[in-house]
Amino acid sequence: MAIIDRFTIKSILTGCVIGVIQGLMLTLLQPQLAIQLMLVGFVLVLMLKRAEFGLLLIVLLTSTVFEEKSLVVMDLMFRWYATDLLLIFLFLTLVIRALVDREFHYNWTVLDVPLLAFLGLVVISTVATAMKTGINFELALPELRTLGYYSIFFLTTNLIRSEKQINTLSQGLLILAFVVAVFMIVQFGVGTSQRILPGRVESLATSGSRVSDVVRITNFSGESLVLAGAIVLTAILFLSEKRTGSWWYLFLWLVINTGLMLTFNRNFWVAMALVTGLIIWMASQSQRGHIVRVMFVLSICIGLAYAITASLPGTQVNRFVNGTINRMESLVNGRAFDSDETLAWRNFEYEYGLPEIETAPVLGIGPGSLYRPYLSDIDIETVEA
């Protein structure tokens, strides 16, 4: 009874303190600023208790539907992104927990040393380039920030330990991938006239022919999350023989893979096919029987969808299916290697990149360094910016 009383008193005192702080903030600060600070405080407290929500927030900001410029929170020496501050806070949480909690021990994995060596070489290369020829920090910072996101691996392996945390993180990532796919489907329905997603929202072009009524959505950070979600869901559907939640995962698989198809990115399609083949090859005998049943259900769903679209000639969905088939055929019949296709279009990268690799120092030229001259007919985005 005394324990309950102490817990009750502690809860009441905590609520009173929080209420007083909120009241003072609303009295002394502008309402909008006070609400923002309270929201930030809530997020930080949540991240202290459940680090997986901090990781999901980073993924939400960097790998879904937000533009990079929307992440800037302040200009102090350089542009600080919200994700920079979140990463610093999570690493501080890791350090404090290691110092305070005697039962907490760093969790070493087989990937720690290779990843640390890779990040260390990046730092050494950056410093060497800066000392030798100088470095354009404005150009280097975005690349360094991207490489810094690799450090999330250490946060994940050390702050995510319980099964509850792992389930929350994995389910959260799938939900984020689902949300991105839904946005892509909505963008496809809206067309190119009204953009709701960053990146390239354009009419599909394959082998020099452009299909104006088929929208292609690519070159934005969320498409990688969609690919990852499609791979994970394929593994879950094929390898898990549990019936619980199978229809929910099937629904997620169909929606997320629809988003994957809307990228019309043949690299993604090939990657998905290779991973699917690898999953089937690694499956046990009993799992392969389950895979056959799953593929049968998927074939029925896809076949019904194709039959419905085929019966609606001239519709946007019908043109999407035909455009997808045409895009896939270009991989088989060799048209993907034509002079006006992506693989051949990238020849300029090989022409400038390979000689640079041969002549560059062992440690490389450092992040932000230019490996080729500016090409006015290629770097269109730079001109427009």
Side-chain angles (χ1 to χ4, degrees), residues 240-248 290 293:
S240 176
E241 299 183 40
K242 295 181 180 179
R243 294 183 179 272
T244 306
S246 57
W247 288 105
W248 164 245
H290 174 70
R293 292 191 294 272

Short mmCIF file of all heavy atoms in Angstrom, two decimals, residues 240-248 290 293:
data_model
loop_
_atom_site.label_atom_id
_atom_site.label_comp_id
_atom_site.label_asym_id
_atom_site.label_seq_id
_atom_site.Cartn_x
_atom_site.Cartn_y
_atom_site.Cartn_z
N SER A 240 7.73 -16.54 -43.28
CA SER A 240 6.94 -16.72 -42.06
C SER A 240 5.69 -17.54 -42.37
O SER A 240 4.88 -17.14 -43.22
CB SER A 240 6.56 -15.36 -41.48
OG SER A 240 5.72 -15.53 -40.36
N GLU A 241 5.53 -18.66 -41.69
CA GLU A 241 4.38 -19.53 -41.93
C GLU A 241 3.25 -19.26 -40.94
O GLU A 241 2.26 -19.99 -40.91
CB GLU A 241 4.83 -21.00 -41.84
CG GLU A 241 5.89 -21.36 -42.89
CD GLU A 241 6.28 -22.83 -42.85
OE1 GLU A 241 5.37 -23.66 -42.65
OE2 GLU A 241 7.47 -23.13 -42.98
N LYS A 242 3.40 -18.21 -40.12
CA LYS A 242 2.33 -17.85 -39.19
C LYS A 242 1.18 -17.21 -39.94
O LYS A 242 1.39 -16.39 -40.83
CB LYS A 242 2.87 -16.88 -38.12
CG LYS A 242 3.93 -17.48 -37.22
CD LYS A 242 4.39 -16.46 -36.20
CE LYS A 242 5.46 -17.06 -35.28
NZ LYS A 242 5.94 -16.05 -34.29
N ARG A 243 -0.01 -17.57 -39.58
CA ARG A 243 -1.20 -17.01 -40.23
C ARG A 243 -1.58 -15.65 -39.66
O ARG A 243 -2.25 -14.86 -40.30
CB ARG A 243 -2.38 -17.97 -40.10
CG ARG A 243 -2.18 -19.28 -40.85
CD ARG A 243 -3.41 -20.16 -40.74
NE ARG A 243 -3.23 -21.41 -41.48
CZ ARG A 243 -3.52 -21.55 -42.77
NH1 ARG A 243 -4.02 -20.52 -43.44
NH2 ARG A 243 -3.34 -22.70 -43.38
N THR A 244 -1.14 -15.39 -38.41
CA THR A 244 -1.50 -14.14 -37.74
C THR A 244 -0.93 -12.95 -38.51
O THR A 244 0.28 -12.84 -38.72
CB THR A 244 -0.96 -14.13 -36.30
OG1 THR A 244 -1.41 -15.29 -35.62
CG2 THR A 244 -1.43 -12.89 -35.57
N GLY A 245 -1.81 -12.06 -38.94
CA GLY A 245 -1.38 -10.84 -39.63
C GLY A 245 -0.97 -11.02 -41.07
O GLY A 245 -0.49 -10.08 -41.70
N SER A 246 -1.15 -12.24 -41.64
CA SER A 246 -0.68 -12.49 -43.00
C SER A 246 -1.42 -11.65 -44.03
O SER A 246 -0.83 -11.17 -45.00
CB SER A 246 -0.83 -13.98 -43.34
OG SER A 246 -2.18 -14.40 -43.18
N TRP A 247 -2.74 -11.47 -43.82
CA TRP A 247 -3.50 -10.65 -44.78
C TRP A 247 -3.11 -9.18 -44.68
O TRP A 247 -3.12 -8.47 -45.68
CB TRP A 247 -5.00 -10.82 -44.54
CG TRP A 247 -5.49 -12.16 -44.97
CD1 TRP A 247 -5.82 -13.21 -44.17
CD2 TRP A 247 -5.65 -12.62 -46.32
NE1 TRP A 247 -6.20 -14.31 -44.92
CE2 TRP A 247 -6.11 -13.97 -46.26
CE3 TRP A 247 -5.46 -12.05 -47.57
CZ2 TRP A 247 -6.37 -14.72 -47.39
CZ3 TRP A 247 -5.72 -12.80 -48.71
CH2 TRP A 247 -6.15 -14.12 -48.61
N TRP A 248 -2.77 -8.72 -43.49
CA TRP A 248 -2.30 -7.34 -43.32
C TRP A 248 -0.98 -7.15 -44.06
O TRP A 248 -0.78 -6.16 -44.77
CB TRP A 248 -2.15 -7.03 -41.84
CG TRP A 248 -1.34 -5.80 -41.51
CD1 TRP A 248 -0.16 -5.75 -40.85
CD2 TRP A 248 -1.66 -4.44 -41.84
NE1 TRP A 248 0.29 -4.47 -40.74
CE2 TRP A 248 -0.62 -3.63 -41.33
CE3 TRP A 248 -2.72 -3.83 -42.50
CZ2 TRP A 248 -0.61 -2.25 -41.47
CZ3 TRP A 248 -2.71 -2.45 -42.64
CH2 TRP A 248 -1.67 -1.67 -42.13
N HIS A 290 5.29 -23.19 -48.52
CA HIS A 290 4.56 -21.98 -48.13
C HIS A 290 4.71 -20.90 -49.19
O HIS A 290 3.75 -20.18 -49.51
CB HIS A 290 5.05 -21.50 -46.78
CG HIS A 290 4.47 -20.19 -46.34
ND1 HIS A 290 3.14 -20.05 -45.96
CD2 HIS A 290 5.02 -18.94 -46.23
CE1 HIS A 290 2.91 -18.80 -45.63
NE2 HIS A 290 4.03 -18.11 -45.80
N ARG A 293 2.37 -21.35 -52.07
CA ARG A 293 1.00 -20.93 -51.75
C ARG A 293 0.88 -19.40 -51.78
O ARG A 293 -0.11 -18.86 -52.30
CB ARG A 293 0.61 -21.47 -50.37
CG ARG A 293 0.46 -22.98 -50.32
CD ARG A 293 -0.18 -23.44 -49.01
NE ARG A 293 0.69 -23.19 -47.87
CZ ARG A 293 1.61 -24.04 -47.43
NH1 ARG A 293 1.80 -25.21 -48.06
NH2 ARG A 293 2.34 -23.76 -46.37
#
